[in-house]
PDB file of all heavy atoms in Angstrom:
ATOM      1  N   ILE L  14      -8.188 -10.765   2.187  1.00  0.00           N
ATOM      2  CA  ILE L  14      -8.311  -9.311   2.263  1.00  0.00           C
ATOM      3  C   ILE L  14      -7.976  -8.747   0.904  1.00  0.00           C
ATOM      4  O   ILE L  14      -6.876  -8.943   0.391  1.00  0.00           O
ATOM      5  CB  ILE L  14      -7.368  -8.728   3.342  1.00  0.00           C
ATOM      6  CG1 ILE L  14      -7.680  -9.367   4.701  1.00  0.00           C
ATOM      7  CG2 ILE L  14      -7.491  -7.215   3.400  1.00  0.00           C
ATOM      8  CD1 ILE L  14      -6.652  -9.084   5.759  1.00  0.00           C
ATOM      9  N   ASN L  15      -8.941  -8.066   0.302  1.00  0.00           N
ATOM     10  CA  ASN L  15      -8.771  -7.467  -1.021  1.00  0.00           C
ATOM     11  C   ASN L  15      -8.269  -8.511  -2.032  1.00  0.00           C
ATOM     12  O   ASN L  15      -7.309  -8.282  -2.766  1.00  0.00           O
ATOM     13  CB  ASN L  15      -7.833  -6.261  -0.946  1.00  0.00           C
ATOM     14  CG  ASN L  15      -7.981  -5.355  -2.148  1.00  0.00           C
ATOM     15  OD1 ASN L  15      -8.994  -5.401  -2.845  1.00  0.00           O
ATOM     16  ND2 ASN L  15      -6.982  -4.525  -2.382  1.00  0.00           N
ATOM     17  N   LYS L  16      -8.889  -9.697  -2.022  1.00  0.00           N
ATOM     18  CA  LYS L  16      -8.607 -10.807  -2.936  1.00  0.00           C
ATOM     19  C   LYS L  16      -7.233 -11.448  -2.739  1.00  0.00           C
ATOM     20  O   LYS L  16      -6.765 -12.201  -3.568  1.00  0.00           O
ATOM     21  CB  LYS L  16      -8.794 -10.397  -4.391  1.00  0.00           C
ATOM     22  CG  LYS L  16     -10.209  -9.966  -4.721  1.00  0.00           C
ATOM     23  CD  LYS L  16     -10.344  -9.586  -6.172  1.00  0.00           C
ATOM     24  CE  LYS L  16     -11.755  -9.111  -6.465  1.00  0.00           C
ATOM     25  NZ  LYS L  16     -11.920  -8.719  -7.852  1.00  0.00           N
ATOM     26  N   LYS L  17      -6.557 -11.136  -1.629  1.00  0.00           N
ATOM     27  CA  LYS L  17      -5.261 -11.746  -1.320  1.00  0.00           C
ATOM     28  C   LYS L  17      -5.429 -12.639  -0.092  1.00  0.00           C
ATOM     29  O   LYS L  17      -6.095 -12.268   0.864  1.00  0.00           O
ATOM     30  CB  LYS L  17      -4.207 -10.673  -1.051  1.00  0.00           C
ATOM     31  CG  LYS L  17      -2.829 -11.261  -0.792  1.00  0.00           C
ATOM     32  CD  LYS L  17      -1.764 -10.195  -0.839  1.00  0.00           C
ATOM     33  CE  LYS L  17      -0.370 -10.624  -0.513  1.00  0.00           C
ATOM     34  NZ  LYS L  17       0.000 -11.962  -0.394  1.00  0.00           N
ATOM     35  N   ILE L  18      -4.833 -13.837  -0.136  1.00  0.00           N
ATOM     36  CA  ILE L  18      -4.942 -14.789   0.969  1.00  0.00           C
ATOM     37  C   ILE L  18      -3.737 -14.641   1.895  1.00  0.00           C
ATOM     38  O   ILE L  18      -2.592 -14.628   1.453  1.00  0.00           O
ATOM     39  CB  ILE L  18      -5.014 -16.235   0.434  1.00  0.00           C
ATOM     40  CG1 ILE L  18      -6.273 -16.417  -0.405  1.00  0.00           C
ATOM     41  CG2 ILE L  18      -4.989 -17.237   1.575  1.00  0.00           C
ATOM     42  CD1 ILE L  18      -6.364 -17.763  -1.093  1.00  0.00           C
ATOM     43  N   TYR L  19      -4.039 -14.534   3.199  1.00  0.00           N
ATOM     44  CA  TYR L  19      -3.010 -14.486   4.235  1.00  0.00           C
ATOM     45  C   TYR L  19      -3.215 -15.697   5.138  1.00  0.00           C
ATOM     46  O   TYR L  19      -4.294 -15.871   5.708  1.00  0.00           O
ATOM     47  CB  TYR L  19      -3.126 -13.197   5.061  1.00  0.00           C
ATOM     48  CG  TYR L  19      -2.937 -11.949   4.245  1.00  0.00           C
ATOM     49  CD1 TYR L  19      -4.026 -11.264   3.713  1.00  0.00           C
ATOM     50  CD2 TYR L  19      -1.665 -11.444   4.004  1.00  0.00           C
ATOM     51  CE1 TYR L  19      -3.862 -10.114   2.967  1.00  0.00           C
ATOM     52  CE2 TYR L  19      -1.487 -10.288   3.257  1.00  0.00           C
ATOM     53  CZ  TYR L  19      -2.586  -9.630   2.741  1.00  0.00           C
ATOM     54  OH  TYR L  19      -2.409  -8.503   2.006  1.00  0.00           O
ATOM     55  N   TYR L  20      -2.180 -16.535   5.288  1.00  0.00           N
ATOM     56  CA  TYR L  20      -2.286 -17.749   6.093  1.00  0.00           C
ATOM     57  C   TYR L  20      -1.902 -17.480   7.541  1.00  0.00           C
ATOM     58  O   TYR L  20      -1.098 -16.601   7.841  1.00  0.00           O
ATOM     59  CB  TYR L  20      -1.416 -18.860   5.510  1.00  0.00           C
ATOM     60  CG  TYR L  20      -1.974 -19.389   4.218  1.00  0.00           C
ATOM     61  CD1 TYR L  20      -1.461 -18.985   3.001  1.00  0.00           C
ATOM     62  CD2 TYR L  20      -3.049 -20.269   4.223  1.00  0.00           C
ATOM     63  CE1 TYR L  20      -1.995 -19.453   1.806  1.00  0.00           C
ATOM     64  CE2 TYR L  20      -3.593 -20.744   3.048  1.00  0.00           C
ATOM     65  CZ  TYR L  20      -3.063 -20.332   1.841  1.00  0.00           C
ATOM     66  OH  TYR L  20      -3.606 -20.790   0.673  1.00  0.00           O
ATOM     67  N   PHE L  21      -2.508 -18.254   8.441  1.00  0.00           N
ATOM     68  CA  PHE L  21      -2.319 -18.129   9.881  1.00  0.00           C
ATOM     69  C   PHE L  21      -1.220 -19.096  10.328  1.00  0.00           C
ATOM     70  O   PHE L  21      -1.245 -20.272   9.953  1.00  0.00           O
ATOM     71  CB  PHE L  21      -3.629 -18.455  10.594  1.00  0.00           C
ATOM     72  CG  PHE L  21      -3.684 -18.011  12.021  1.00  0.00           C
ATOM     73  CD1 PHE L  21      -3.827 -16.677  12.338  1.00  0.00           C
ATOM     74  CD2 PHE L  21      -3.614 -18.929  13.047  1.00  0.00           C
ATOM     75  CE1 PHE L  21      -3.900 -16.263  13.657  1.00  0.00           C
ATOM     76  CE2 PHE L  21      -3.673 -18.533  14.369  1.00  0.00           C
ATOM     77  CZ  PHE L  21      -3.826 -17.190  14.674  1.00  0.00           C
ATOM     78  N   TYR L  22      -0.272 -18.609  11.122  1.00  0.00           N
ATOM     79  CA  TYR L  22       0.882 -19.402  11.539  1.00  0.00           C
ATOM     80  C   TYR L  22       1.083 -19.368  13.051  1.00  0.00           C
ATOM     81  O   TYR L  22       0.721 -18.393  13.713  1.00  0.00           O
ATOM     82  CB  TYR L  22       2.173 -18.852  10.917  1.00  0.00           C
ATOM     83  CG  TYR L  22       2.379 -19.204   9.480  1.00  0.00           C
ATOM     84  CD1 TYR L  22       1.762 -18.482   8.469  1.00  0.00           C
ATOM     85  CD2 TYR L  22       3.214 -20.251   9.118  1.00  0.00           C
ATOM     86  CE1 TYR L  22       1.966 -18.799   7.134  1.00  0.00           C
ATOM     87  CE2 TYR L  22       3.430 -20.571   7.791  1.00  0.00           C
ATOM     88  CZ  TYR L  22       2.797 -19.838   6.813  1.00  0.00           C
ATOM     89  OH  TYR L  22       3.014 -20.164   5.495  1.00  0.00           O
ATOM     90  N   LYS L  23       1.697 -20.426  13.548  1.00  0.00           N
ATOM     91  CA  LYS L  23       2.276 -20.436  14.895  1.00  0.00           C
ATOM     92  C   LYS L  23       3.755 -20.152  14.679  1.00  0.00           C
ATOM     93  O   LYS L  23       4.432 -20.883  13.948  1.00  0.00           O
ATOM     94  CB  LYS L  23       2.076 -21.797  15.557  1.00  0.00           C
ATOM     95  CG  LYS L  23       2.733 -21.904  16.913  1.00  0.00           C
ATOM     96  CD  LYS L  23       2.529 -23.307  17.473  1.00  0.00           C
ATOM     97  CE  LYS L  23       3.357 -23.500  18.731  1.00  0.00           C
ATOM     98  NZ  LYS L  23       3.269 -24.891  19.204  1.00  0.00           N
ATOM     99  N   ILE L  24       4.245 -19.085  15.294  1.00  0.00           N
ATOM    100  CA  ILE L  24       5.618 -18.633  15.091  1.00  0.00           C
ATOM    101  C   ILE L  24       6.400 -18.833  16.387  1.00  0.00           C
ATOM    102  O   ILE L  24       6.028 -18.286  17.423  1.00  0.00           O
ATOM    103  CB  ILE L  24       5.648 -17.140  14.683  1.00  0.00           C
ATOM    104  CG1 ILE L  24       4.775 -16.926  13.457  1.00  0.00           C
ATOM    105  CG2 ILE L  24       7.075 -16.662  14.465  1.00  0.00           C
ATOM    106  CD1 ILE L  24       4.265 -15.515  13.309  1.00  0.00           C
ATOM    107  N   THR L  25       7.450 -19.627  16.337  1.00  0.00           N
ATOM    108  CA  THR L  25       8.331 -19.819  17.486  1.00  0.00           C
ATOM    109  C   THR L  25       9.584 -18.995  17.221  1.00  0.00           C
ATOM    110  O   THR L  25      10.193 -19.113  16.158  1.00  0.00           O
ATOM    111  CB  THR L  25       8.691 -21.311  17.665  1.00  0.00           C
ATOM    112  OG1 THR L  25       7.479 -22.065  17.725  1.00  0.00           O
ATOM    113  CG2 THR L  25       9.497 -21.533  18.927  1.00  0.00           C
ATOM    114  N   TRP L  26       9.930 -18.124  18.187  1.00  0.00           N
ATOM    115  CA  TRP L  26      11.033 -17.203  17.962  1.00  0.00           C
ATOM    116  C   TRP L  26      11.808 -16.963  19.253  1.00  0.00           C
ATOM    117  O   TRP L  26      11.335 -17.266  20.341  1.00  0.00           O
ATOM    118  CB  TRP L  26      10.535 -15.893  17.367  1.00  0.00           C
ATOM    119  CG  TRP L  26       9.447 -15.205  18.147  1.00  0.00           C
ATOM    120  CD1 TRP L  26       8.124 -15.554  18.205  1.00  0.00           C
ATOM    121  CD2 TRP L  26       9.580 -14.063  18.980  1.00  0.00           C
ATOM    122  NE1 TRP L  26       7.432 -14.705  19.016  1.00  0.00           N
ATOM    123  CE2 TRP L  26       8.303 -13.757  19.506  1.00  0.00           C
ATOM    124  CE3 TRP L  26      10.639 -13.248  19.319  1.00  0.00           C
ATOM    125  CZ2 TRP L  26       8.066 -12.684  20.360  1.00  0.00           C
ATOM    126  CZ3 TRP L  26      10.417 -12.167  20.168  1.00  0.00           C
ATOM    127  CH2 TRP L  26       9.143 -11.901  20.670  1.00  0.00           C
ATOM    128  N   LEU L  27      13.035 -16.453  19.095  1.00  0.00           N
ATOM    129  CA  LEU L  27      13.905 -16.165  20.235  1.00  0.00           C
ATOM    130  C   LEU L  27      13.868 -14.688  20.574  1.00  0.00           C
ATOM    131  O   LEU L  27      13.942 -13.837  19.694  1.00  0.00           O
ATOM    132  CB  LEU L  27      15.349 -16.572  19.916  1.00  0.00           C
ATOM    133  CG  LEU L  27      15.585 -18.056  19.659  1.00  0.00           C
ATOM    134  CD1 LEU L  27      17.037 -18.288  19.270  1.00  0.00           C
ATOM    135  CD2 LEU L  27      15.226 -18.884  20.875  1.00  0.00           C
ATOM    136  N   ASP L  28      13.750 -14.406  21.875  1.00  0.00           N
ATOM    137  CA  ASP L  28      13.732 -13.030  22.367  1.00  0.00           C
ATOM    138  C   ASP L  28      14.930 -12.836  23.294  1.00  0.00           C
ATOM    139  O   ASP L  28      15.339 -13.773  23.995  1.00  0.00           O
ATOM    140  CB  ASP L  28      12.427 -12.771  23.130  1.00  0.00           C
ATOM    141  CG  ASP L  28      12.148 -11.288  23.343  1.00  0.00           C
ATOM    142  OD1 ASP L  28      12.881 -10.441  22.769  1.00  0.00           O
ATOM    143  OD2 ASP L  28      11.199 -10.973  24.069  1.00  0.00           O
ATOM    144  N   ILE L  29      15.460 -11.646  23.302  1.00  0.00           N
ATOM    145  CA  ILE L  29      16.611 -11.379  24.174  1.00  0.00           C
ATOM    146  C   ILE L  29      16.184 -11.403  25.640  1.00  0.00           C
ATOM    147  O   ILE L  29      15.034 -11.118  25.975  1.00  0.00           O
ATOM    148  CB  ILE L  29      17.292 -10.030  23.851  1.00  0.00           C
ATOM    149  CG1 ILE L  29      16.334  -8.866  24.105  1.00  0.00           C
ATOM    150  CG2 ILE L  29      17.804  -9.996  22.434  1.00  0.00           C
ATOM    151  CD1 ILE L  29      17.003  -7.516  24.088  1.00  0.00           C
ATOM    152  N   CYS L  30      17.103 -11.769  26.506  1.00  0.00           N
ATOM    153  CA  CYS L  30      16.915 -11.681  27.956  1.00  0.00           C
ATOM    154  C   CYS L  30      18.021 -10.778  28.482  1.00  0.00           C
ATOM    155  O   CYS L  30      19.155 -10.840  28.003  1.00  0.00           O
ATOM    156  CB  CYS L  30      17.021 -13.053  28.610  1.00  0.00           C
ATOM    157  SG  CYS L  30      15.567 -14.053  28.399  1.00  0.00           S
TER     158      CYS L  30
END
Side-chain angles (χ1 to χ4, degrees):
I14 303 168
N15 199 20
K16 298 181 182 179
K17 183 167 176 11
I18 297 174
Y19 298 95
Y20 289 100
F21 196 74
Y22 283 82
K23 176 182 171 186
I24 305 156
T25 306
W26 54 284
L27 297 176
D28 196 8
I29 63 168
C30 283

